[in-house]
Amino acid sequence: MCGIVAYVGPKQAYPILIKGLQRLEYRGYDSAGIAILNKDLKLYKTQGKVSDLDQLVKEKDIGGTIGIAHTRWATHGEPNDENAHPHYSFSKDIALIHNGIIENYTALRKTLINRKYKFRSDTDTEVLVYLIEDIKINEKVNLEEAVRIALNQVVGAYAIVVLSKDEPDKLIAARKGSPLVIGMGKDDFFVASDATPIAEYTKNVVYLEEEQIAIIKKNIPLKIIDIKKHKITPYVQKLQVNLNVLEKGGYEHFMLKEIFEQPRSIRDSMRGRLRADKGIVNLGGIRDYEQKIVNAKRIIIIACGTSWHAALLGEYIIEGLTRIPVEVEYASEFRYRNPIIHENEIVIAISQSGETADTLAAIELAKEKGATIIGICNVVGSSIARATHAGSYTHAGPEIGVASTKAFTAQVTLLTLLALRLAEKKGTITRSRFHQILNDLDDIPHKVEETLKTNDKVIKIAEKFKDSPNALYLGRGYNFPVALEGALKLKEISYIHAEGYPAAEMKHGPIALIDQEMPVIFIATNNIIYDKIVSNIQEVKARKGKIIAIVTEGDKDVVGMADYFIEIPETDDILVPLLATIPLQLLSYHIAVMRGCNVDQPRNLAKSVTVE
Ligand code: G6P
């Protein structure tokens, strides 16, 4: 987690750094800090948000054209002023920011304490900057060499930027396991955890690779080495980020903006991949692996959080259309339970950020065992995208709200395209059904737009249930993962305890919770098990539970039983989750706003979880 920004060039660093931190605040927001060098190495940091930091430095000397800045999501040491980054070295001549975890920090700390160093914080990060300084002094080497030697002693993950009083025009940046991108302006350099703080200044970027160190010096071309001291030629790429999508665009929160962006983001995820009129589905990024997937005895999908819910839908859709067995695993479980993976099996990794540590580690494990890894990521150039053999980007655009919305629907869209392509190639789908799903899929962005019109009705329902302490979400078939995702969304941002269940499982436990106070959200669209879910609704009604139902337009039976209902347009059963999810996102959003919660930055969460 944590966001990193750094700048060196002719401009004043502070405005660039603080704006960059605001853009990266989704990565963590329990404390923030900056260090700026202008003869003196000035360091300001505070518990709280980036806005608290901005407040703190008012009236302070923040002049200078080189600096580093950080927004934190605590791993070692509680979120307080001392533990905030940057961290000074012992002499206060060096400052460092870090994203990741130094796993052997206890041993390193002990060694340094034995050498009479006194630490100021509880963090693993401070140990690293002390170590760098110790090496610099004792081995009489320059900053980059001290960083390099130190990193060879470190076990764990890091993205770091280091600034030293002795070498005033220079930043040293390095990464392993945590992302870092370097922007190259005309006469200045930017460093950040992702490209969003950089995009408005330059489109030329270099993504630092594992165990690489960048020596970034004013007026000198960028130099990169690896931690074994081999020279690396920087690979400059052109950034494609639309700045408008980084702003709220008139919406009160990023989450609401992102919910309403879904007609566009779903369309973008199908762009160039679906030609319904010609009956073509084409996923360029995995074309070379299609046959291998079609021949696979089994597909395993790994993911975390909301991406795991997309994975579960992927299981239902891929198995349904291709008859290839699919297993879905939480990446965190998969990596530690010695999973059975045969050579030539296919592992699909799904991740919005492309940085989730557990997913990345699970990929490495599957790779070691000879599996072929296909990635479905949203962030271009992310660690997971680069760790996979092939894959497709979801192209949902940057997702800033911590609770995932548009990335989820884009993931589901992509999994549907994949299933269709595989089914076509494998011959497990009839031509007419293939065409019918393609046409319905092509129409989904329009139907999402229609579904978004339920917003006013959802607000009214939110008003009724905003004070409920609990909620139950029930669905069957394709609507079961939708129920899980609906419940996750509510608990993430409103802190209401919510559970998702397969509707028929309810009678094996959760039914005990039902009384007149309990809102039960049924996803009860028109499908082959409609009658079954009607029975489940009756079971809840008999116990006086309050029923909120998501139904297909024109529904009669469920509408007759529900206390509140929301209609969504009719579509193929496989595609219903893309519509049914929308009112549930809106419901969570409005309830959270009404409860006064910080929707875009819910407590204890972070957008990109780069620790296990
Ligand atoms: C965090 C986020 C979730 C996200 C999960 C997986 O917990 O708060 O919204 O679903 O990580 O992230 P990924 O980037 O791998 O999809």
Side-chain angles (χ1 to χ4, degrees), residues 426-469:
K426 200 161 185 239
T428 48
I429 189 167
T430 63
R431 219 49 218 162
S432 63
R433 174 126 171 82
F434 183 71
H435 279 283
Q436 177 239 315
I437 303 180
L438 255 54
N439 284 329
D440 279 4
L441 191 53
D442 199 34
D443 212 19
I444 281 291
H446 166 68
K447 287 183 177 167
V448 169
E449 224 164 284
E450 288 302 303
T451 309
L452 285 165
K453 291 183 185 157
T454 60
N455 191 35
D456 289 343
K457 200 165 178 188
V458 175
I459 292 174
K460 293 208 172 76
I461 299 173
E463 272 159 6
K464 300 276 178 217
F465 294 103
K466 66 178 192 326
D467 299 320
S468 298

Side-chain angles (χ1 to χ4, degrees), residues 161-204:
V161 187
V162 192
L163 173 60
S164 170
K165 219 165 144 180
D166 299 357
E167 301 178 49
D169 291 337
K170 196 191 274 181
L171 295 170
I172 305 297
R175 76 154 272 184
K176 183 187 176 194
S178 303
L180 217 49
V181 51
I182 301 164
M184 306 205 296
K186 224 168 87 214
D187 45 10
D188 44 12
F189 290 102
F190 308 80
V191 186
S193 299
D194 74 26
T196 54
I198 296 176
E200 65 191 271
Y201 307 106
T202 177
K203 298 280 178 268
N204 296 324

Side-chain angles (χ1 to χ4, degrees), residues 490-523:
L490 187 69
K491 68 186 131 191
E492 273 181 316
I493 60 169
S494 74
Y495 320 137
I496 293 175
H497 168 242
E499 286 196 54
Y501 249 81
E505 268 294 302
M506 172 194 63
K507 56 184 169 297
H508 300 293
I511 198 164
L513 300 170
I514 292 170
D515 60 16
Q516 64 277 16
E517 305 297 330
M518 177 66 116
V520 185
I521 297 101
F522 275 97
I523 303 104

Side-chain angles (χ1 to χ4, degrees), residues 270 272-282 438:
M270 299 193 287
R273 295 165 171 168
L274 173 71
R275 284 294 305 267
D277 53 342
K278 294 208 158 63
I280 297 173
V281 174
N282 166 36
L438 255 54

Side-chain angles (χ1 to χ4, degrees), residues 41-70:
L41 184 55
K42 288 153 296 188
L43 194 153
Y44 307 104
K45 55 185 187 175
T46 179
Q47 181 181 351
K49 307 243 163 177
V50 173
S51 54
D52 296 311
L53 174 68
D54 199 25
Q55 205 53 42
L56 173 83
V57 301
K58 287 213 160 58
E59 325 278 308
K60 298 254 168 40
D61 175 13
I62 45 164
T65 57
I66 182 166
I68 59 179
H70 188 270

Side-chain angles (χ1 to χ4, degrees), residues 34-246:
I34 51 158
I36 293 183
L37 182 61
N38 188 5
K39 290 200 194 88
D40 281 339
L41 184 55
K42 288 153 296 188
L43 194 153
Y44 307 104
K45 55 185 187 175
T46 179
Q47 181 181 351
K49 307 243 163 177
V50 173
S51 54
D52 296 311
L53 174 68
D54 199 25
Q55 205 53 42
L56 173 83
V57 301
K58 287 213 160 58
E59 325 278 308
K60 298 254 168 40
D61 175 13
I62 45 164
T65 57
I66 182 166
I68 59 179
H70 188 270
T71 176
R72 180 171 186 245
W73 185 85
T75 59
H76 290 65
E78 63 178 84
N80 58 25
D81 293 356
E82 289 73 38
N83 291 335
H85 298 212
H87 287 281
Y88 271 134
S89 61
F90 184 65
S91 72
K92 298 198 172 177
D93 282 350
I94 302 176
L96 176 145
I97 48 177
H98 169 223
N99 169 27
I101 291 181
I102 310 296
E103 286 171 17
N104 60 336
Y105 89 106
T106 319
L108 294 172
R109 200 171 204 259
K110 245 188 219 148
T111 315
L112 290 163
I113 288 172
N114 287 342
R115 288 195 215 153
K116 310 280 176 257
Y117 286 110
K118 283 201 170 47
F119 286 92
R120 306 178 183 102
S121 81
D122 308 319
T123 63
D124 51 338
T125 304
E126 195 180 24
V127 174
L128 181 56
V129 68
Y130 275 45
L131 180 65
I132 291 169
E133 179 166 76
D134 184 70
I135 293 168
K136 192 168 183 290
I137 295 167
N138 290 317
E139 314 250 334
K140 299 190 176 49
V141 290
N142 66 9
L143 186 62
E144 62 252 38
E145 185 58 2
V147 170
R148 194 190 68 78
I149 296 169
L151 292 181
N152 276 285
Q153 298 179 26
V154 157
V155 178
Y158 53 80
I160 56 166
V161 187
V162 192
L163 173 60
S164 170
K165 219 165 144 180
D166 299 357
E167 301 178 49
D169 291 337
K170 196 191 274 181
L171 295 170
I172 305 297
R175 76 154 272 184
K176 183 187 176 194
S178 303
L180 217 49
V181 51
I182 301 164
M184 306 205 296
K186 224 168 87 214
D187 45 10
D188 44 12
F189 290 102
F190 308 80
V191 186
S193 299
D194 74 26
T196 54
I198 296 176
E200 65 191 271
Y201 307 106
T202 177
K203 298 280 178 268
N204 296 324
V205 296
V206 173
Y207 289 95
L208 218 53
E209 296 290 340
E210 289 295 89
E211 301 198 326
Q212 289 186 351
I213 301 169
I215 297 107
I216 303 164
K217 199 167 173 204
K218 221 180 197 168
N219 303 324
I220 304 252
L222 176 68
K223 202 174 125 196
I224 299 181
I225 55 168
D226 67 16
I227 66 165
K228 299 284 172 247
K229 225 175 173 170
H230 303 115
K231 273 195 179 159
I232 313 280
T233 311
Y235 170 51
V236 184
Q237 302 186 40
K238 280 267 176 248
L239 204 60
Q240 287 164 351
V241 181
N242 176 356
L243 272 181
N244 289 337
V245 296
L246 303 178

Side-chain angles (χ1 to χ4, degrees), residues 547-563:
I547 293 161
I548 304 159
I550 311 292
V551 298
T552 311
E553 256 163 21
D555 179 282
K556 295 262 172 332
D557 297 354
V558 174
V559 163
M561 289 187 282
D563 296 278

